[in-house]
Amino acid sequence: MVKVVAFSGMLSNKQKFNPDFYNWNRIKVRYCDGASFTGDVEAVNPANNLHFRGARVFQAVMEDLMAKGMKNAQNAVLSGCSAGGLTSILHCDNFRALFPVGTKVKCFADAGYFINAKDVSGASHIEQFYAQVVATHGSAKHLPASCTSRLSPGLCFFPQYMARQITTPLFIINAAYDSWQIKNILAPGVADPHGTWHSCKLDINNCSPTQLQTMQSFRTQFLNALAGLGISSSRGMFIDACYAHCQTEMQETWLRTDSPVLGKMSIAKAVGDWYYDRSPFQKIDCAYPCNPTCHNRVFDSNVHSEV
């Protein structure tokens, strides 16, 4: 785990780069839990000393922060990217419940709207994987009962099945062609034994017309899964047409002269306007490659991690 974390993007303390949140108290919570802070298993494996207690960690961190003064906040945000984005969805209402009724509390989920889609071989790889995560971590008791009463706990780890019940205002920031989801949900290594997708996953410019067509189909599935949120004026949405993963904590995608825009608006402006009730924002980009402002990820083939 890196010793130093760059506070950039929505964590920046410079007004120019983060006009709406630069003067906030900003806390980065370290994550090494593996189940978006939902784990809660009493037993410890004596062979490897692994603890699956992410839910307890989350509670302990929040209690510590509240005691340090967070309980006096007038404004509060729970946010995160990737697994942290999923955390900010799963724990959004729990976070809200920590504060008095008069506190303005909202949640931002960056690249955390993972969807339940079949992979290129037709297998339900991510559905099985999430079921195993939830079982290993004993997560069921920390997933919304409104979902687990209807569906298996593994499915309730997917926002499309549980996020509609969230009552706290929630903003979803996600690429429709989320690079992690393309690499690990749509075309994981296990579904691509001959490495046909390897070059495409490293750089979208390398994708064949057939692969792009498959990715367009994935975008359609992603947008259908987003419909699981339901219609609500308290929801915000910035869904761009980029091949990217996590866009709020990097300055170049949060707010810079060349950062991605949707409806002529940067992520920083859209989120800030929504948080402070200046104007709502619910926009979905046109299909790739329509947005010339995108920062499409190019990965190093030597550090190509997959689930």
Side-chain angles (χ1 to χ4, degrees):
M1 188 176 276
V2 293
K3 295 284 190 289
V4 178
V5 176
F7 272 43
S8 61
M10 72 169 295
L11 293 173
S12 172
N13 63 357
K14 294 180 172 55
Q15 186 173 8
K16 175 184 176 183
F17 296 121
N18 189 26
D20 282 312
F21 306 104
Y22 75 97
N23 58 350
W24 282 43
N25 293 300
R26 289 150 292 118
I27 301 103
K28 178 85 170 180
V29 180
R30 293 286 197 176
Y31 175 75
C32 60
D33 154 60
S36 291
F37 294 107
T38 60
D40 194 354
V41 177
E42 187 65 34
V44 177
N45 187 326
N48 52 31
N49 199 35
L50 280 176
H51 294 62
F52 298 103
R53 298 179 183 172
R56 302 184 195 186
V57 171
F58 184 86
Q59 183 179 354
V61 169
M62 292 303 141
E63 287 174 358
D64 184 55
L65 292 174
M66 293 300 277
K68 284 182 164 71
M70 192 167 77
K71 67 178 184 295
N72 301 317
Q74 294 177 312
N75 300 289
V77 161
L78 180 66
S79 180
C81 101
S82 196
L86 179 57
T87 299
S88 62
I89 296 173
L90 295 172
H91 286 280
C92 187
D93 281 345
N94 296 338
F95 183 72
R96 174 69 195 88
L98 296 172
F99 297 90
V101 176
T103 310
K104 182 191 279 288
V105 182
K106 300 189 179 184
C107 305
F108 310 156
D110 179 11
Y113 206 92
F114 301 102
I115 70 165
N116 184 14
K118 286 184 165 59
D119 64 32
V120 290
S121 75
S124 300
H125 172 70
I126 196 67
E127 183 178 320
Q128 294 164 12
F129 181 76
Y130 272 13
Q132 291 168 349
V133 167
V134 167
T136 300
H137 287 259
S139 300
K141 62 177 92 67
H142 294 288
L143 296 171
S146 57
C147 181
T148 54
S149 62
R150 298 179 293 111
L151 301 168
S152 68
L155 288 177
C156 295
F157 208 60
F158 290 98
Q160 71 201 77
Y161 302 117
M162 54 70 60
R164 185 185 290 257
Q165 277 72 44
I166 294 170
T167 57
T168 308
L170 172 67
F171 197 110
I172 303 291
I173 302 118
N174 229 103
Y177 309 87
D178 185 286
S179 54
W180 191 94
Q181 296 197 52
I182 298 294
K183 289 162 66 180
N184 296 282
I185 296 179
L186 179 64
V190 68
D192 182 36
H194 302 295
T196 310
W197 278 80
H198 186 74
S199 179
C200 170
K201 290 189 291 185
L202 293 177
D203 185 343
I204 197 169
N205 291 312
N206 298 336
C207 298
S208 69
T210 305
Q211 287 170 330
L212 284 174
Q213 192 174 355
T214 303
M215 288 166 69
Q216 299 293 11
S217 174
F218 180 85
R219 171 184 179 267
T220 301
Q221 292 181 75
F222 181 83
L223 298 185
N224 288 339
L226 265 183
L229 277 172
I231 306 298
S232 170
S233 59
S234 73
R235 300 269 192 260
M237 208 175 284
F238 190 107
I239 311 297
D240 56 30
C242 310
Y243 184 63
H245 184 64
C246 293
Q247 301 179 89
T248 61
E249 293 178 24
M250 293 192 302
Q251 197 59 55
E252 54 266 39
T253 44
W254 174 250
L255 180 62
R256 217 172 58 178
T257 53
D258 62 342
S259 62
V261 295
L262 188 47
K264 298 183 178 177
M265 199 172 288
S266 66
I267 296 172
K269 182 78 164 71
V271 170
D273 282 356
W274 173 84
Y275 180 82
Y276 286 108
D277 302 312
R278 294 192 293 253
S279 65
F281 194 93
Q282 295 180 333
K283 285 190 166 48
I284 295 172
D285 214 347
C286 44
Y288 175 87
C290 73
N291 191 335
T293 68
C294 276
H295 287 230
N296 293 321
R297 293 283 299 276
V298 178
F299 295 91
D300 183 341
S301 59
N302 296 319
V303 287
H304 186 54
S305 62
E306 292 181 347
V307 298

